Amino acid sequence: MRAQAKVIKIGHRYFCRFGKSGQVLTAWSLAGSQIFCDSRVAESVMDALKAKGKKPQLLTVILEVQS
């Protein structure tokens, strides 16, 4: 079974989360990134990143799910 999800890429790194004081935390690899199943949540994070002066890219990834 395949499922689509979204991840946010900033430069050569992947969005992970916002820190305690609002700083942007990133991961080196896709494995450490935040995976968004809901596009609306991903879009709201994209807006927050743009407001902080970042240049994020929203990428679609296809996940292979074993049952």
Side-chain angles (χ1 to χ4, degrees), residues 25 44 61:
L25 302 177
S44 68
V61 293

Side-chain angles (χ1 to χ4, degrees), residues 4-18:
Q4 286 189 357
K6 306 280 186 187
V7 295
I8 298 173
K9 189 172 184 181
I10 305 169
H12 296 295
R13 299 185 65 151
Y14 297 92
F15 173 77
C16 182
R17 63 185 179 274
F18 291 106

Side-chain angles (χ1 to χ4, degrees), residues 8-54:
I8 298 173
K9 189 172 184 181
I10 305 169
H12 296 295
R13 299 185 65 151
Y14 297 92
F15 173 77
C16 182
R17 63 185 179 274
F18 291 106
K20 289 181 181 178
S21 58
Q23 74 271 27
V24 178
L25 302 177
T26 58
W28 284 102
S29 68
L30 188 60
S33 69
Q34 174 72 43
I35 297 174
F36 299 96
C37 294
D38 186 354
S39 295
R40 294 173 292 188
V41 175
E43 290 294 334
S44 68
V45 172
M46 289 277 292
D47 292 340
L49 290 170
K50 288 176 185 174
K52 290 184 172 286
K54 304 293 182 188

